[in-house]
């Protein structure tokens, strides 16, 4: 399949190109072409007048950062010296977190689930073991980690890995029960293997099962503890290659934990028991407890409980040890939530979690396993959350999490992104949001504090807004590639709560998530915010710093689609998944007719779906509801969901449309100005003879997204789906009502785009006037004139008149976006009212005058004698010259696919049209000449979630929801791609490894193993030989390249590496030298004391002692 050259799309495609298609059909062919008569009219020859500065060199696509909670987590690791945390996921992703701002995402190419992660502590490296039986070594000494080596096991499945502190030999346990050893530096298997049949006793007839645990003894690195699934424990002497001891238990083992002295270890089992073993008497455990088991009266063994999946045994110098475990609850309480139990002395604390526990880790003061551990916190990884518990306080409070991991607190239904917004907004939103902070967190600093991060060169403020299924809206500070929540607004608070059991008798069209946010519109300058909800309502919010107690104004609007002149649709095909209508009640409203008759048999008419609170409501500082507008049922038909929304603060108007028609409301006077079916908007200028264009045309591209879905759309996503304007979205809910009287939605002309602007409403107008541009699903553009009162004094009393101008323009496909350029080609800002606090006590209502900004500051006050209207549909883009209404430029963006999102954005003090296509292409076009500047096949839309949440903003930035819990940000700016390295945080910072506690000369001599353990000698090729080649395959990675590039190119990179290696070697030699000197000093002191003792008793007889 042909496609445009990745970046260097020919800049020569100017407006003078002949009509016709250039380039192939990846859905983005067809070059710019001039409409016949393109140089006529007031515009003259704009190609010569307007010097476009953007070229393809300004554009490049790359991912910048991923925010949110890692989707489907599976593994957890922590570096206690660097203080960074790693989380692996089922999709093969790794997220590495440090101090706020240090957040790195990397992905295994295979996409295999991550089974286990192990840091090379304080070495700037990480080992990952994946479900495809591959081990990978990641280099973290560069801002974007990459794989240095991989080792793929061919004949055995990896089940457990263990890397001792300061060792370069990784122990790998397998499903067959064997233990292999891998050299971390070369990533080559040692010839030394501990075979399962050598480890267990010869008399044992059954296989011990997979290896579930490996750890070296804290007392002697030459001894390895191997735990097998069936309850067998083997203490293996690595030097003599034989088992020192074997222990058996009749319940399966899930995990093992050592006491730091290396004389005892604890096991957790499948019956909810903990066993404590002593190396001196391995015949049976010297202590067995079932912490949550009921004690039987007759002295029998307590009842068995759920498995204890993991246990950690951590010692303290000045208090009892901590025993921390997950699971182990009794079976007789089936509704109990997943729990983490902390046993400290005789006190047992059970911490109940909101989600299942995936893994947990205890954070300790020392990285050395043979010292008092002194635990200070527990990191608990849940399926949908990450919490850290403070162990230093007796009530075990949790730390306040600084990461934005609660994006998915309620499923995200829509997003908006604003770069380069007014700088005062972020502190203002934060100040009203900070008042809602929860209390009761630990007062300690967040313990995951590794890495380094600075602001970088990017200084403009950015705000992301997310709308959610429960009706909440969250404002996030997204400046400098970080994310921090500023403020949360609950839109459901304007409605009465639905009482349980009333659902059947009410007028609700959505049974689940009736408050889901479907669309949002924000004017940052005036701070007016507007949401459209799934239950066919619009709420207008104003921002105030003062609390008020007031009634909520509400209006009801009747939007009806006339049945005349509408083609009867063809019979519908079978739904893509069975009984979608019963599983997904929210989709019924898309079908054109949900349950049209109420249960009690009366026809519903002129009633809204939800009830607005009638009593005065306390509204805290922040966004306060100014007006609620609800669409009502019409003749037993539910209101159709809203497909387009626009607000203008200068005009004081809000407009919204659906597939029935358009409504315009004056939110200052709280009156409905217009409520009209789409067909009536045309008046006499309807270009259609209502030919059978709409149903079949829309049905063709209706299948588009379904085909792109590689699997049935997940029910959770569909449940919170925000159905948008395009007819094609019906492809996800083809189960329409069989009622003959119901009108197929595809046959209606939906309002798909709205835009308020100062424009030339009619041909040959001499001056601009206030207009509302209306775009429909059939590619029609209707301009409505707005007659506003001449003076501000009359605005509250004089009516606003909305009338059709008679101007109708046409495009191919549903209209997506509008913009307006002045005669110099500069983007014209929509008119707005400068924000003022509606509840300020400074002055009375009468004396306050509205301050309006009618033109953007960048353009001249005189708009000139013409302007350019930019209109983009899902198939093509057009630029019209106004007032002549001449089509100057047209570009057919795609023939075989359709656009999901198009935005006119500013970049490098210029302007362009950015498009995201359903076939995965991201494209940019110059303005006004619509030359292709960028066309890259970025990602296929395999999920409705991506289609619904993708949005572009200024300065070359964009985002989408990459998973139900994560936001992926990307840039299409070459400049930002070049500067990205400076903006990302450093994962590795030089930190000295803490010194091991001085054990003293005598303890070193008589306690523990006097013999030094040389792993190199034991596992190296000279002694152990080579491993079988067929067992595992070494794959070199590309990880070093970027790191070297970061230091310098070519030879300098090698020199840098060599210098680092020399520094480290010198450091280690220095440490060895100090240790030797310390031992010599101890020996000298011992010798001196011995000599003094000898002198003291030299001349005494034996009976004098």
């Amino acid at each position: 399949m042909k496609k445009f050259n990745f970046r260097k799309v020919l800049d020569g495609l100017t407006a003078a190109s002949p009509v016709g298609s250039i380039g192939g059909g990846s859905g983005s062919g067809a070059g710019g072409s001039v409409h016949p008569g393109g140089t006529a009219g007031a515009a003259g020859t704009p190609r010569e007048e307007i010097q476009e500065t953007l070229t393809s060199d300004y554009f490049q696509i790359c991912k910048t950062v991923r925010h949110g909670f890692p989707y489907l987590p599976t593994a957890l690791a922590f570096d206690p010296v660097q203080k960074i945390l790693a989380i692996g996921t089922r999709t093969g992703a790794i997220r590495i977190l440090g101090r706020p701002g240090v957040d790195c995402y990397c992905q295994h190419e295979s996409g295999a689930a991550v089974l286990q992660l192990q840091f090379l502590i304080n070495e700037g490296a990480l080992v990952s073991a994946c479900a495809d039986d591959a081990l990978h070594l990641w280099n973290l000494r560069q801002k974007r980690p990459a794989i240095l080596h991989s080792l793929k096991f061919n004949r055995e499945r990896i089940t457990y890995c263990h890397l001792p502190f300061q060792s370069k030999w990784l122990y790998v346990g397998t499903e067959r029960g064997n233990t292999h050893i891998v050299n971390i530096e070369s990533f080559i298997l040692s010839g030394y293997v501990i075979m399962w049949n050598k480890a267990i006793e010869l008399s044992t007839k059954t296989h011990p099962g997979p290896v579930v645990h490996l750890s070296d003894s804290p007392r002697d690195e030459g001894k390895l503890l191997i735990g097998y699934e069936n309850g067998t424990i083997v203490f293996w002497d690595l030097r003599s290659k034989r088992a020192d001891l074997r222990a058996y238990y009749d319940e399966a083992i899930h995990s093992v934990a050592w006491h730091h002295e290396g004389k005892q270890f604890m096991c957790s089992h499948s019956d909810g028991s903990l066993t404590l073993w002593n190396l001196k008497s391995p015949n049976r455990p010297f202590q067995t407890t079932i912490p949550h088991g009921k004690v039987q009266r007759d002295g029998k063994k307590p009842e068995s409980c759920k498995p204890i999946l993991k246990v950690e045994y951590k010692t303290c110098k000045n208090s009892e040890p901590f025993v921390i475990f997950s699971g182990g609850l009794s079976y007789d309480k089936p509704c109990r939530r997943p729990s983490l139990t902390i046993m400290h002395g005789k006190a047992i604390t059970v911490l109940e979690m909101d989600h299942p526990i995936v893994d947990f880790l205890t954070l300790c003061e020392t990285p050395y396993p043979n010292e008092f551990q002194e635990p200070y916190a527990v990191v608990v990884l849940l399926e949908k959350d990450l919490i850290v518990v403070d162990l230093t306080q007796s009530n075990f409070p949790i730390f306040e999490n600084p990461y934005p991991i609660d994006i998915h607190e309620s499923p995200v239904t829509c997003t908006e992104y604003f770069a380069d917004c007014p700088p005062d907004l972020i502190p203002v939103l934060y100040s009203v949001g900070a008042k809602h902070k929860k209390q009761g967190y630990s007062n300690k600093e967040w313990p995951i504090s590794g890495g380094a991060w600075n602001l970088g060169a990017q200084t403009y403020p950015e705000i992301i807004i997310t709308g959610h299924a429960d009706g909440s809206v969250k404002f996030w500070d997204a400046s400098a590639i970080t994310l921090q929540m500023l403020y949360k607004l609950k839109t459901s608070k304007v409605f009465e709560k639905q009482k349980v059991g009333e659902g059947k008798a009410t007028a609700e069209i959505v049974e689940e998530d009736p408050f889901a946010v479907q669309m949002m519109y924000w004017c940052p300058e005036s701070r007016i915010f507007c949401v459209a909800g799934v239950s066919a309502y619009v709420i207008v919010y104003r921002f105030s710093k003062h609390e008020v107690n007031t009634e909520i104004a509400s209006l009801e609007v009747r939007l009806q689609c006339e049945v005349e002149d509408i083609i009867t649709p063809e019979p519908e095909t079978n739904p893509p998944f069975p009984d979608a209508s019963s599983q997904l009640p929210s989709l019924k409203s898309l079908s054109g007719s949900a349950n049209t008759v109420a249960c009690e048999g009366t026809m519903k008419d002129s009633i809204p779906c939800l009830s607005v609170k009638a009593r005065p409501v306390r509204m805290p500082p922040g966004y306060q509801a100014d007006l609620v507008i609800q669409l009502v049922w019409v003749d037993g038909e539910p209101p159709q969901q809203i497909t387009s929304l626009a607000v203008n603060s200068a005009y004081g108007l809000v407009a919204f449309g659906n597939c029935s028609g358009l409504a315009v409301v004056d939110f200052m006077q709280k009156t409905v100005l217009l409520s009209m079916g789409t067909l009536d908007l045309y008046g006499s200028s309807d270009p259609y003879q209502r030919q059978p264009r709409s149903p079949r045309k829309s049905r063709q591209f209706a299948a588009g997204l379904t085909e792109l879905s590689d699997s049935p759309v997940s029910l959770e996503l569909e449940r919170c789906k925000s159905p948008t304007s395009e007819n094609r979205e019906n492809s996800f809910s083809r189960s329409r009502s069989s009622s003959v009287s119901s009108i197929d939605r595809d046959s209606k002309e939906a309002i798909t785009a709205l835009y308020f602007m100062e424009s030339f409403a009619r041909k040959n107008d001499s001056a601009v006037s206030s207009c509302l541009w209306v775009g429909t699903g059939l590619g029609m553009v209707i301009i409505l004139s707005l007659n506003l009162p001449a003076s501000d004094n009359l605005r509250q009393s004089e009516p606003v008149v909305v009338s059709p101008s008679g101007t109708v323009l046409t495009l191919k496909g549903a209209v997506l976006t509008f913009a307006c350029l002045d005669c110099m080609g500069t983007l014209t800002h929509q008119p707005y009212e400068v924000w003022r606090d509606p509840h300020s006590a400074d002055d009375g209502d009468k004396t306050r005058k509205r301050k309006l900004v009618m033109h953007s500051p960048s353009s001249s006050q005189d708009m000139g004698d013409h302007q350019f209207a930019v209109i983009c549909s899902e198939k093509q883009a057009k630029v019209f010259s106004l007032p002549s209404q001449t089509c100057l430029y047209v570009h057919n963006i795609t023939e075989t696919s359709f656009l999901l999102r198009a935005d006119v954005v500013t970049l490098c003090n210029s302007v362009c049209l950015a498009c995201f296509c359903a076939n995965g292409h991201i494209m940019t076009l110059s303005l006004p000449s619509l030359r292709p500047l960028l066309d890259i096949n970025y990602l296929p839309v395999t999920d409705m979630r991506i289609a619904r949440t993708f949005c572009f903003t200024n300065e070359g930035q964009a985002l989408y929801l990459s998973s139900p819990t994560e936001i992926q940000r990307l840039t299409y700016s070459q400049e930002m791609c070049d500067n990205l390295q400076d903006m990302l945080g450093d994962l590795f910072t030089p930190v000295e490894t803490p010194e091991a506690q001085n054990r003293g000369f005598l303890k070193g001599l008589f306690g523990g193993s006097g013999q030094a353990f040389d792993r190199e000698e034991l596992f190296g090729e000279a002694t152990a030989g080579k491993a079988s080649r067929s067992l595992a395959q070494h794959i070199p990675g590309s990880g070093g390249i970027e790191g070297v590039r970061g230091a310098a190119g070519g030879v300098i990179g090698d020199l840098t590496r060599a210098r680092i290696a020399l520094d480290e070697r010198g450091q280690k030699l220095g440490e060895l030298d100090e240790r030797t000197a310390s031992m010599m000093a101890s020996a000298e002191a011992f010798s001196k004391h011995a000599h003094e003792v000898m002198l003291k008793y030299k001349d005494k007889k034996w009976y004098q002692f």
Side-chain angles (χ1 to χ4, degrees):
M1 190 165 76
K2 291 192 291 179
K3 62 182 177 208
F4 269 101
N5 186 356
F6 246 42
R7 279 200 41 242
K8 305 294 179 186
V9 179
L10 292 172
D11 283 330
L13 302 180
T14 62
S17 311
V19 176
S21 161
I22 315 166
S26 68
S28 48
S33 58
V34 178
H35 196 279
T39 54
T45 53
R47 187 158 61 92
E48 293 166 16
E49 286 179 28
I50 295 171
Q51 189 66 43
E52 292 178 6
T53 56
L54 292 178
T55 65
S56 58
D57 293 332
Y58 283 79
F59 296 93
Q60 176 63 39
I61 294 270
C62 73
K63 291 180 180 178
T64 52
V65 68
R66 185 171 289 210
H67 303 297
F69 182 75
Y71 185 52
L72 302 174
T74 52
L76 185 65
F78 183 70
D79 185 324
V81 179
Q82 286 290 320
K83 294 200 177 343
I84 55 173
L85 187 81
I87 299 172
T89 75
R90 204 181 299 169
T91 56
I94 297 175
R95 282 282 286 284
I96 303 167
L97 301 165
R99 67 178 66 245
V102 178
D103 183 345
C104 178
Y105 165 82
C106 32
Q107 175 75 43
H108 292 94
E109 279 183 25
S110 66
V114 178
L115 297 178
Q116 204 180 343
L117 295 169
Q118 289 260 302
F119 276 104
L120 277 67
I121 294 171
N122 206 23
E123 296 285 340
L126 175 74
V127 174
S128 59
C130 294
D132 60 349
D133 306 305
L135 294 170
H136 307 277
L137 179 66
W138 293 84
N139 176 16
L140 307 184
R141 292 189 178 222
Q142 55 196 54
K143 293 198 174 184
R144 291 215 153 171
I147 292 173
L148 289 165
H149 300 282
S150 297
L151 190 66
K152 178 88 166 67
F153 280 73
N154 298 323
R155 296 189 312 212
E156 297 198 51
R157 310 222 64 183
I158 298 170
T159 55
Y160 195 88
C161 299
H162 170 63
L163 180 67
F165 178 46
Q166 294 181 325
S167 162
K168 67 173 186 178
W169 297 93
L170 175 76
Y171 301 114
V172 182
T174 69
E175 198 172 46
R176 289 189 185 177
N178 301 326
T179 303
H180 300 277
I181 298 164
V182 177
N183 183 315
I184 286 296
E185 289 176 353
S186 62
F187 242 57
I188 293 171
L189 267 180
S190 164
Y192 192 115
V193 185
I194 305 169
M195 304 299 285
W196 68 270
N197 53 352
K198 299 274 178 66
I200 65 168
E201 282 182 314
L202 295 175
S203 59
T204 310
K205 292 180 179 163
T206 55
H207 188 278
V211 173
V212 294
H213 179 82
L214 291 167
S215 59
D216 51 339
S217 162
R219 198 176 185 197
D220 183 355
E221 294 172 339
K223 305 283 175 70
L224 185 69
L225 189 75
I226 308 170
Y228 295 95
E229 191 179 66
N230 75 346
T232 302
I233 298 158
V234 174
F235 196 47
W236 184 263
D237 188 326
L238 291 161
R239 298 184 195 85
S240 61
K241 300 186 184 178
R242 62 181 176 80
D244 262 15
L245 63 87
R246 297 180 179 90
Y248 301 96
Y249 194 70
D250 53 6
E251 291 291 341
I253 291 175
H254 284 284
S255 72
V256 183
W258 280 100
H259 185 282
H260 82 272
E261 288 178 350
K263 297 173 185 175
Q264 303 171 0
F265 59 87
M266 183 179 284
C267 300
S268 73
H269 300 277
S270 56
D271 64 344
S273 65
L274 294 172
T275 54
L276 199 55
W277 301 76
N278 197 312
L279 293 181
K280 289 183 179 174
S281 53
N283 297 332
R284 64 172 192 271
F286 75 84
Q287 188 182 319
T288 303
T289 54
I290 301 183
H292 294 300
K294 279 186 180 174
V295 180
Q296 306 289 5
R297 287 182 183 173
D298 49 6
K300 287 183 186 172
K301 185 183 169 188
E303 277 182 8
S304 63
C305 294
K306 293 174 185 175
I308 292 178
L309 301 176
K310 182 174 182 179
V311 65
E312 294 212 332
Y313 186 20
K314 301 295 180 186
T315 52
C316 306
K317 203 167 193 175
N318 301 318
S319 72
E320 297 284 319
F322 280 90
V323 175
I324 303 168
F325 62 88
S326 60
L329 297 177
S330 60
Y331 282 106
D332 64 348
K333 292 182 182 171
C335 299
R336 281 193 72 171
R337 296 193 291 179
S339 298
L340 184 82
T341 304
I342 301 172
M343 297 167 66
H344 188 221
K346 291 182 180 177
I348 298 180
T349 306
V350 178
L351 304 177
E352 290 194 336
M353 305 295 168
D354 292 333
H355 309 284
I357 296 172
V358 175
D359 198 358
F360 73 89
L361 283 174
T362 311
L363 310 188
C364 300
E365 296 289 354
T366 175
Y368 295 94
N370 57 358
E371 296 178 355
F372 281 105
Q373 296 297 286
E374 305 296 349
Y376 60 89
V378 184
V379 179
V380 190
L381 177 64
L382 308 176
E383 273 187 10
K384 293 187 175 179
D385 204 356
L386 176 76
I387 65 166
V388 183
V389 181
D390 184 354
L391 292 180
T392 62
Q393 296 177 47
S394 57
N395 59 337
F396 303 130
I398 64 167
F399 289 87
E400 186 173 5
N401 197 319
Y403 309 132
I405 59 168
D406 57 347
I407 291 169
H408 63 288
E409 187 177 18
S410 171
V412 176
T413 51
C414 54
T415 56
E416 291 296 337
Y417 190 6
F418 298 86
D420 208 7
C421 47
D424 59 335
L425 279 173
I426 288 174
V428 160
L429 286 167
Y430 183 78
S431 68
V432 293
K435 297 184 174 83
H436 304 298
K437 293 266 167 123
K438 290 179 188 169
Q439 303 301 313
Y441 289 113
S442 168
N443 52 12
K444 296 274 177 70
E445 288 288 315
W446 179 250
I448 304 159
S449 55
W453 179 78
N454 58 3
L455 271 168
Q458 190 178 311
T459 52
Y460 52 83
E462 297 170 70
I463 289 176
I464 291 170
I465 309 178
T466 54
H468 300 264
D470 65 353
S472 60
V473 174
K474 291 180 181 177
F475 290 76
W476 305 83
D477 176 6
S479 311
I481 69 169
T482 61
L483 196 71
Q484 182 185 8
M485 195 167 96
L486 295 169
Y487 173 67
K488 182 177 177 178
L489 171 67
K490 293 179 179 174
T491 65
S492 60
K493 285 195 169 180
V494 303
F495 299 107
E496 296 287 2
K497 281 187 181 170
Q498 174 72 49
K499 288 184 180 138
V500 181
E502 276 186 12
K504 299 290 180 199
T506 63
E508 283 192 18
I509 54 173
V510 181
E511 290 160 27
E512 205 170 354
D513 296 331
F515 309 114
V517 178
Q518 210 175 334
M519 306 182 85
M520 301 179 294
Y521 194 101
W522 191 43
C523 174
E525 289 80 13
S526 65
R527 302 187 191 172
I528 292 273
F529 181 64
C530 200
V531 295
V534 77
S535 298
Y537 61 82
V538 169
I539 311 175
V540 180
Y541 286 91
R542 287 181 183 271
F543 187 85
S544 174
K545 294 180 181 177
H546 303 279
E547 182 177 310
V548 290
N549 210 355
T550 182
E551 285 191 13
I552 300 166
S554 65
L555 289 172
E556 291 177 1
V557 176
R558 188 180 174 95
L559 268 184
Q560 189 169 7
C561 184
E562 298 301 325
V563 184
E564 294 83 59
D565 298 331
I566 292 183
I567 306 94
T568 309
E570 302 165 359
E572 193 46 79
T573 53
N574 291 330
F577 33 77
D579 199 17
S581 57
S582 65
Q583 294 177 45
L584 307 171
S586 65
L587 297 179
K588 291 181 188 171
S589 50
L590 289 182
S591 66
S593 104
N595 301 326
T596 57
V597 180
C599 295
E600 59 271 24
T602 56
M603 183 176 278
K604 295 180 183 176
D605 188 58
S606 300
I607 54 169
C609 304
L610 302 168
S611 307
V612 178
K613 287 177 180 172
R615 61 188 182 280
V617 177
R618 188 189 73 83
M619 298 184 191
Y623 273 106
Q624 298 168 349
D626 189 50
L627 177 65
V628 180
I629 309 154
Q630 288 184 284
L631 293 178
V632 295
W633 287 63
V634 178
D635 300 332
E637 288 280 333
Q640 299 292 331
Q641 289 178 335
I642 291 161
T643 55
S644 54
L645 176 68
V647 190
N648 190 280
S649 55
Y651 301 162
L653 302 180
V654 56
F656 57 94
N658 60 12
C659 59
S660 298
L662 170 73
V664 181
V665 172
D666 181 341
F667 63 79
M668 292 178 72
Q669 294 186 25
K670 313 282 191 284
T671 56
V672 180
L673 302 178
L674 178 83
S675 169
M676 196 178 275
T678 314
L679 301 185
D680 299 327
L681 290 173
Y682 291 106
S684 59
S685 54
D686 185 357
Y688 273 115
Q689 304 308 306
R690 299 293 112 189
Q691 295 162 357
R693 166 179 173 172
S694 69
R696 294 207 178 108
K697 194 80 177 172
S698 58
R699 208 175 308 278
Q700 276 175 15
F701 54 77
L705 264 182
T706 314
E707 287 158 12
L708 286 164
S709 276
D710 50 6
S711 59
V713 178
S714 89
L715 295 181
E716 186 192 8
L717 294 170
E718 276 306 314
R719 180 170 68 73
C720 67
K721 175 174 180 316
S722 111
T724 57
S725 51
E726 293 70 31
N727 303 331
R728 59 176 173 271
E729 293 209 12
N730 278 334
S731 57
F732 287 92
S733 60
R734 295 192 176 173
S735 52
R736 291 187 171 76
S737 165
S738 57
S739 161
V740 179
S741 64
S742 75
I743 300 156
D744 190 298
R745 181 182 169 200
D746 281 357
S747 65
K748 300 181 183 182
E749 189 171 3
I751 306 293
T752 57
L754 294 165
Y755 190 73
F756 288 102
M757 65 169 137
E758 294 285 296
S759 175
F760 298 94
R762 298 170 187 82
K763 269 193 182 182
N764 307 319
D765 271 8
S766 57
V768 295
S769 59
S770 304
C771 296
L772 172 61
W773 288 60
V774 181
T776 77
L778 295 181
M780 312 305 296
V781 176
I782 305 159
I783 303 178
L784 300 179
S785 287
L786 308 173
N787 192 355
L788 296 156
S791 71
D792 191 46
N793 304 338
L794 303 172
R795 179 64 187 85
Q796 291 288 359
S797 54
E798 290 280 315
V800 177
V801 179
V802 182
S803 56
S805 67
T807 300
V808 177
L809 308 172
T810 61
L811 285 87
K812 218 182 339 178
V815 179
L816 293 181
T817 195
F818 297 107
C820 187
L821 309 180
D822 66 14
C823 56
M824 304 306 294
T826 308
L827 185 64
T828 307
H829 199 295
Q830 286 180 284
Y832 63 89
E833 178 191 354
V834 176
W835 176 77
R836 55 180 184 157
D837 199 318
H839 304 298
S840 173
D842 295 349
D843 45 11
D845 282 344
K846 291 178 183 175
T847 57
R848 285 197 294 174
K849 194 169 163 79
R850 297 168 73 223
K851 186 179 176 186
L852 306 183
V853 177
M854 298 308 279
H855 308 304
S856 78
S858 58
S859 63
S860 62
Q861 283 300 309
D862 177 24
M863 289 282 289
D865 57 354
H866 70 273
Q867 62 181 189
F868 301 102
V870 181
I871 310 172
C872 185
S873 77
E874 59 187 9
K875 291 286 185 182
Q876 66 178 186
K878 283 186 177 181
V879 174
F880 291 90
S881 175
L882 299 179
S884 68
Q885 296 176 14
T886 307
C887 179
L888 295 173
Y889 306 98
V890 59
H891 181 77
N892 293 315
I893 296 169
T894 172
E895 296 292 342
T896 57
S897 187
F898 53 87
L899 294 188
L900 293 163
R901 181 83 186 209
D903 289 296
V904 174
V905 292
T906 57
L907 178 71
C908 302
N909 299 318
S910 193
V911 63
C912 65
L913 175 65
C915 309
F916 177 54
C917 195
N919 62 11
H921 283 248
I922 290 178
M923 295 160 271
T924 59
L925 304 171
S926 72
L927 287 176
S929 67
L930 299 177
R931 285 177 297 116
L933 298 173
L934 171 84
D935 184 351
I936 287 184
N937 191 355
Y938 174 71
L939 88 161
V941 183
T942 53
D943 207 311
M944 193 64 217
R945 182 186 57 252
I946 298 171
R948 198 178 60 240
T949 57
F950 198 103
C951 53
F952 295 98
T953 187
N954 298 330
E955 307 305 332
Q957 304 226 54
L959 66 79
Y960 61 95
L961 238 72
S962 55
S963 76
T965 62
E966 294 166 290
I967 288 174
Q968 177 66 59
R969 287 164 70 179
L970 58 138
T971 181
Y972 48 96
S973 154
Q974 179 70 60
E975 184 186 9
M976 189 164 175
C977 288
D978 294 341
N979 296 334
L980 186 60
Q981 203 69 6
D982 300 331
M983 297 163 71
L984 296 172
D986 289 296
L987 295 172
F988 179 80
T989 50
V991 180
E992 266 192 43
T993 304
E995 281 188 23
Q997 290 171 6
N998 190 356
R999 302 178 69 203
F1001 180 74
L1002 288 172
K1003 195 171 181 184
L1005 201 62
F1006 303 117
S1009 166
Q1011 184 182 353
F1013 175 59
D1014 188 352
R1015 292 188 181 95
E1016 186 70 48
E1017 186 184 325
L1018 204 56
F1019 305 145
E1021 198 176 305
T1023 311
K1026 286 186 177 179
S1028 164
R1029 282 194 176 181
S1030 61
L1031 186 60
Q1033 174 193 358
H1034 176 258
I1035 305 158
S1038 59
I1041 297 168
E1042 193 184 334
V1044 171
R1045 197 186 296 140
V1051 179
I1052 300 171
D1054 291 334
L1055 287 170
T1056 306
R1057 277 206 305 274
R1059 185 177 57 74
I1060 290 167
L1062 276 170
D1063 286 351
E1064 288 173 353
R1065 191 176 170 206
Q1067 190 180 337
K1068 284 175 183 170
L1069 284 170
E1071 287 170 6
L1072 186 67
D1073 199 21
E1074 284 170 20
R1075 220 172 292 153
T1076 309
S1078 166
M1079 286 176 72
M1080 283 174 67
S1082 291
E1084 206 172 322
F1086 180 77
S1087 167
K1088 187 179 172 186
H1089 285 308
H1091 186 66
E1092 283 169 5
V1093 169
M1094 184 267 291
L1095 290 174
K1096 185 176 179 182
Y1097 298 110
K1098 185 174 69 166
D1099 299 320
K1100 293 193 177 183
K1101 304 292 180 188
W1102 61 269
Y1103 51 84
Q1104 292 176 310
F1105 281 103

